[in-house]
Each structure stands twice: as C-alpha cells, then as structure tokens.
Amino acid sequence: MSDQGESSKARLEFLAYQDLPITEDEFEKAKLVEGSDAQGQKPSYYVRLGSLSTKMRARSYYQALGRVENVKCRSQETISKLRSTVNLIEFSRENKDNVSQKTQDKLYNSWVEWKKCIGQSDSDELPCAEHIESRAVAVARDLTQQLQVNCRTLIASIQGLPQSVQDQASHVGAMAGDVGAVFHPTSSFKEVSGGRLTLTKGQLQKMKESIDEVMDYLGTNTPLSWLVGPFYLQVVESGKSGNPSEEKNSSQEDQ
C-alpha cells in the first residue's frame, strides 16, 4: 500500500475513534453503502470489517454486534407481547359466549396477564367482550408495525454477511409482514379464523428462532465481509493532528 493509502487509512481509523459510538438514529438514517453520503449529514462510509486494523476491527465488531443484539432484544420483546395478545384473542374468541364463572375467571386472569406483558397498568376490572376485542386488535396492529420496523433494522445491520444469513433475516421480515396482514384489515375477532391464529403463533416462534440463529452466528464468527460503520471522514489541515485534546494542550503550552 502506498504512503498516501496508509495515511488515508490511519486518518479514517483515527476519526472513527472520534465519532464512534454513534446514536441508533444516525445508524438507521445512514445508507449502508461504502463511500455513500448520509442524507443531510456529513459524508459517511461503511467499510468491510476485514479492511480495518486489528485494533479497530475488534472495536467495530463489538459495536456492530451490540447493535444487532439491541435489535434482537427489541424484536424478542415484541414477539413475546404479540404471542400474549394472540393467546388472549384466541381464548376470548373461543369463549365469547361462555358466561360460566370458571371461564370468566380464566378470561380475567388472561386479561390481567396480557396487560402486564404489554406494559399497561390501568384498571384490572374485566371490561366487556367488545372492549377486549377492539383493544387487543389495536395493540396487535401496533406490535406488528414495531416488529416490521425491527426486522428492517436487522436486515440493514447485517449487510455483507454470508447470503444464507441475510436470506434468513429477510425471511424473518417476510413473516413479520404476513403477521401484520392478519391484523391490519381486521376490526373484530370474527374476521380472524382459528387456523390463522394458530399459523400466526407458529410464525412468531419461527421468527424468534431465526433471530436467535443470526445472533448465534455473529457471536461465534467474525465475518470479515461485514459492512460496519459509519465512519466519518473530515478534512484535517496539514500540520495539525486533528486531535482536539492535543490541540488544546498545545495551545496551553504556547500560553
């Protein structure tokens, strides 16, 4: 590599230390293409993990791994809430006309557990069936939207990995779309068949397993083709180190 190339690489890595870590919002807005510009931001670059020095490679790997872990946790939490919601819909739908005390007690317990799962803490009094119906379907819609956003973030976070891993993540995204289609046109339990609810629960389980497998792959491999970043290139004036702390110390010494 030429001296100029070595200098550019050193500058890139130095600036990476200055700019990393970035916020998740910045990460999601940036384009996952090497040498591209993030819209409305300064030029940013995603580089192959294997093109970095050993020291910078380790730092970038663990930061990228942390982002995927964050997406995994959010996705698994959403999947758990969706499964609880589907269970409530299923139970309520099957026992809507059953007024026995035993069934009502089970419905009440399911209602309370479901609200705890989705993080709502209003009155535990059991509402009418129509209210349970409309509320559960509305929550299911919101959760499926969250899940689809999480899946898109996951897919964007693993660019450059082996195609089989990327295909697995894309399949998770497709299943999230299928689950979303179950609830978006739906206004009542009657419009969701029992078979469709069973299929939805199976898809949610497969999604959870697939996300775990993607994370397991990253936890046991260091894919050098992984696109990591973003790194920000800044113009460093000749004769200056570009290190704010060094410039400050130099200024104090001059005084």
Side-chain angles (χ1 to χ4, degrees), residues 79-242:
I79 288 173
S80 177
K81 291 179 179 179
L82 261 172
R83 290 175 67 178
S84 178
T85 303
V86 171
N87 286 336
L88 177 65
I89 292 174
E90 200 170 41
F91 184 82
S92 299
R93 184 174 179 273
E94 292 172 353
N95 297 277
K96 193 171 184 179
D97 298 323
N98 191 329
V99 295
S100 70
Q101 187 61 47
K102 183 177 181 180
T103 299
Q104 290 299 304
D105 288 344
K106 287 184 178 180
L107 181 58
Y108 172 78
N109 291 333
S110 297
W111 169 255
V112 172
E113 287 302 315
W114 174 70
K115 289 203 302 174
K116 287 180 180 178
C117 179
I118 64 173
Q120 296 185 1
S121 57
D122 54 352
S123 173
D124 286 337
E125 182 179 350
L126 183 65
C128 64
E130 288 74 15
H131 180 78
I132 294 177
E133 177 178 322
S134 61
R135 187 165 174 181
V137 170
V139 168
R141 288 196 191 106
D142 290 341
L143 290 173
T144 54
Q145 289 177 348
Q146 292 175 30
L147 187 58
Q148 290 176 71
V149 170
N150 290 339
C151 288
R152 287 195 292 269
T153 303
L154 174 65
I155 293 170
S157 301
I158 60 172
Q159 297 299 301
L161 295 188
Q163 193 59 49
S164 59
V165 179
Q166 295 190 61
D167 288 345
Q168 191 169 25
S170 295
H171 184 54
V172 172
M175 285 191 288
D178 291 342
V179 172
V182 173
F183 298 104
H184 278 277
T186 300
S187 59
S188 71
F189 292 160
K190 293 179 180 179
E191 297 177 53
V192 182
S193 68
R196 195 68 187 88
L197 288 175
T198 300
L199 179 61
T200 295
K201 289 196 293 184
Q203 287 178 311
L204 290 172
Q205 180 60 30
K206 288 180 181 178
M207 291 174 67
K208 180 182 182 302
E209 293 171 355
S210 294
I211 293 172
D212 282 338
E213 289 173 6
V214 171
M215 196 66 212
D216 288 344
Y217 171 82
L218 289 173
T220 56
N221 295 275
T222 306
L224 300 183
S225 60
W226 195 3
L227 281 173
V228 295
F231 299 97
Y232 297 105
L233 281 176
Q234 299 173 339
V235 177
V236 180
E237 295 181 15
S238 178
K240 291 186 178 182
S241 66

Side-chain angles (χ1 to χ4, degrees), residues 23-36:
T23 65
E24 186 174 341
D25 182 62
E26 286 177 312
F27 170 72
E28 292 178 350
K29 289 179 180 177
K31 295 181 181 179
L32 290 171
V33 179
E34 290 179 287
S36 68

Side-chain angles (χ1 to χ4, degrees), residues 45-57:
Y45 299 83
Y46 281 79
V47 300
R48 304 287 177 184
L49 189 64
S51 68
L52 299 172
S53 67
T54 302
K55 185 176 182 180
M56 195 61 209
R57 185 183 303 169

